[in-house]
Amino acid sequence: MVVAALLASVQMAAGQGGMAPADSARLEVAVDSSAKHIVLMVGPFHLVDRSGEDTHAHSGAGHDTPVYHFDWPIEGWLRGFELEVVDGQGNVLPRHIMHHMIMVNFDRRQLIYPAAERILGAGSETADYTLPKSIGVPVRLGSDLGMYIAWHNDTGEPIDDVYFRMALEWTPRNQMPQPVSSLPVYFDVNLTVGGTNTYDIPPGRSEKSYEFTLPVSGRLLGVGGHMHDYGAEVRLEDAESGKVITSLSAESDAGGRLLGMERNLFGVSGRGKKLEANHRYRVVGVYQNPTGHTIDLGAMAHMVGLFVPDDLKKWPALDPTDPEFQKDLASLADQNSKIMQMDHMPATDEDDHGDHTQEGDDGE
Ligand SMILES: [Cu+2]
C-alpha cells in the first residue's frame, strides 16, 4: 500500500459570499469511541445560489465562514476523514457545494513558518482518505482546533438548513504498535505569513523560489503541489548541491489552464526522502505565460506534504508573542481579509492513480 500525501487541487470560489449570514451556525463535536470517530457537525447554513460564477478565478475575496473553534477531544493520532454535506434531517446534499474546508491547529506551529498548523484540508473533489495504521498525525487532548468552510452553491437555487459533517478517524494513545508521528509541512515560494502568497506572472517562462532550512531532520513521506493557470512545475531542491529532490508537474489543457497537479509518494513502508536540519533547501515555482503580458497576482506555487521528524521534541515551539504568528491569527479571525495560504492542504489517500511512487530512494 502506498501513502499518498497529495494536494487537493482546490479552486477558490470567485466573488463575494456564497453564504448568507449564518449567525446560527455552530460546531458540535461528538466522540464515537468504538468506531474511533470524532464527528464534527457545523451548521445550519443558508447558501445563496452562486451558479454561473467562476470557481476557478481564485479571487479569495471573503467567502469563507468564520473559524469555528473546538477542543480536540482525544489523546492520540488523527488518521483520516470522511465528509458529507447534509440537511437538518440528515439527507445527503451534493458534496461539491462544499468548495473547500481547512482545519487549523492553533496549538502547534508550522515547521518553517511561525504560523498555526493547517492540519488538514479538503476540496470539493478531494476523496475521503485514511492513512495506513502505521502512520498518524499526533494531536494532544485539549488542543485548540478550528475549522472554516468555503461554500459554493452552484445548484441554481438557494439551499437552506445545510450542515457540514465530518468524521475524523483517530487512533488512541494506547494502541500498539504506535503509529509513526507525521506532521503536515508546507513550502511556499512566496509566502508572507498573515499576508498573501500570490504573485505576478511575467510573460514567458519564469521561476520564483524560496530558500529555507529545517530546525529538525526527518523524512518527507510524500508531497502534493498547488499552482494556478500557466503553472508548469513546482519542485524541491537541495539548495547546496542543486540536486532536485522532488518535482511535481502541472497538468494543463492546451491553453495553459490548470487541470491538476501531480503528486509524489515516496512510500510508507519506505522511508521517504531524508531532509537534514540546518541544510539549505529551496522550493521553486515555474510558470510559462504565453499571453505576452504580466498577469497580476496570477500565481501561487507551493508544496505540501507529510513529514516525520527524527525527534518530535525538536519541532519548533509555538511562540504566541511572535508578531508573525499574531498576524496569522488576525488573518484567520478576519474573514474578509482571509488569505489563501494553505487553502490547499495535504490530504492523503490510498488511491495511487496517477502518482509517481518512488521506492528505495531514501537517502539513508
Ligand atoms: Cu491558489
Side-chain angles (χ1 to χ4, degrees):
M1 181 165 19
V2 172
V3 167
L6 67 96
L7 183 85
S9 61
V10 176
Q11 305 296 343
M12 302 282 290
Q16 305 299 313
M19 185 184 69
D23 296 327
S24 59
R26 51 196 294 266
L27 183 150
E28 289 185 358
V29 186
V31 178
D32 182 334
S33 293
S34 52
K36 299 288 186 293
H37 279 172
I38 296 163
V39 179
L40 305 178
M41 279 284 280
V42 193
F45 295 97
H46 176 80
L47 305 183
V48 299
D49 175 47
R50 295 284 172 187
S51 53
E53 292 183 6
D54 181 7
T55 59
H56 200 260
H58 226 320
S59 74
H63 58 283
D64 295 327
T65 70
V67 177
Y68 300 97
H69 284 255
F70 63 99
D71 290 342
W72 186 253
I74 59 100
E75 186 74 44
W77 290 264
L78 170 62
R79 285 189 41 245
F81 70 81
E82 296 165 25
L83 67 85
E84 57 186 3
V85 179
V86 296
D87 67 15
Q89 278 70 53
N91 301 304
V92 175
L93 298 171
R95 174 171 147 163
H96 75 270
I97 64 175
M98 193 286 300
H99 196 262
H100 64 255
M101 60 76 53
I102 304 291
M103 189 175 294
V104 182
N105 180 356
F106 289 93
D107 280 342
R108 187 159 56 207
R109 58 157 277 176
Q110 295 179 26
L111 184 60
I112 69 168
Y113 305 110
E117 176 180 87
R118 270 56 166 184
I119 191 165
L120 75 81
S124 53
E125 77 293 15
T126 307
D128 295 342
Y129 75 88
T130 304
L131 289 165
K133 283 198 163 46
S134 57
I135 296 174
V137 179
V139 188
R140 302 302 308 267
L141 173 68
S143 294
D144 178 14
L145 278 275
M147 62 162 294
Y148 63 92
I149 302 160
W151 294 105
H152 185 78
N153 173 15
D154 63 355
T155 60
E157 45 195 73
I159 314 177
D160 200 20
D161 202 27
V162 177
Y163 288 80
F164 172 89
R165 182 183 187 279
M166 182 176 236
L168 298 164
E169 294 157 58
W170 56 281
T171 295
R173 187 78 192 166
N174 60 7
Q175 170 166 306
M176 289 299 164
Q178 291 193 333
V180 171
S181 288
S182 70
L183 279 64
V185 287
Y186 176 66
F187 309 127
D188 193 297
V189 305
N190 191 51
L191 177 68
T192 303
V193 172
T196 184
N197 60 346
T198 54
Y199 58 98
D200 297 344
I201 317 176
R205 183 185 163 88
S206 61
E207 288 195 358
K208 194 169 195 68
S209 65
Y210 175 72
E211 270 192 31
F212 58 91
T213 59
L214 305 177
V216 56
S217 301
R219 298 174 286 125
L220 194 58
L221 295 185
V223 289
H226 175 72
M227 303 190 84
H228 294 178
D229 290 349
Y230 308 122
E233 173 196 41
V234 58
R235 64 177 187 266
L236 180 65
E237 298 177 348
D238 182 322
E240 298 184 14
S241 70
K243 184 173 174 253
V244 175
I245 296 162
T246 182
S247 168
L248 305 171
S249 298
E251 296 148 15
S252 310
D253 68 16
R257 188 167 172 115
L258 191 103
L259 302 175
M261 292 291 297
E262 184 180 35
R263 296 174 271 163
N264 270 345
L265 316 169
F266 315 125
V268 233
S269 54
R271 301 158 178 277
K273 300 277 187 183
K274 181 79 186 185
L275 299 179
E276 299 290 346
N278 308 312
H279 186 93
R280 287 187 297 115
Y281 296 98
R282 176 161 59 218
V283 58
V284 185
V286 183
Y287 273 81
Q288 181 70 50
N289 171 6
T291 65
H293 59 84
T294 295
I295 303 171
D296 294 340
L297 299 179
M300 258 195 229
H302 58 245
M303 211 174 251
V304 292
L306 277 177
F307 181 76
V308 180
D310 289 349
D311 182 355
L312 190 52
K313 290 191 289 295
K314 289 185 181 162
W315 196 268
L318 189 151
D319 175 4
T321 68
D322 186 312
E324 284 198 87
F325 180 72
Q326 291 180 348
K327 272 189 231 165
D328 184 43
L329 289 188
S331 76
L332 283 166
D334 176 3
Q335 68 161 332
N336 288 321
S337 70
K338 192 169 295 153
I339 58 159
M340 296 175 52
Q341 183 217 349
M342 306 292 285
D343 270 338
H344 323 283
M345 276 299 298
T348 306
D349 68 14
E350 296 171 3
D351 168 16
D352 61 357
H353 173 74
D355 297 326
H356 291 213
T357 303
Q358 302 173 6
E359 304 288 353
D361 184 17
D362 57 13
E364 288 183 304

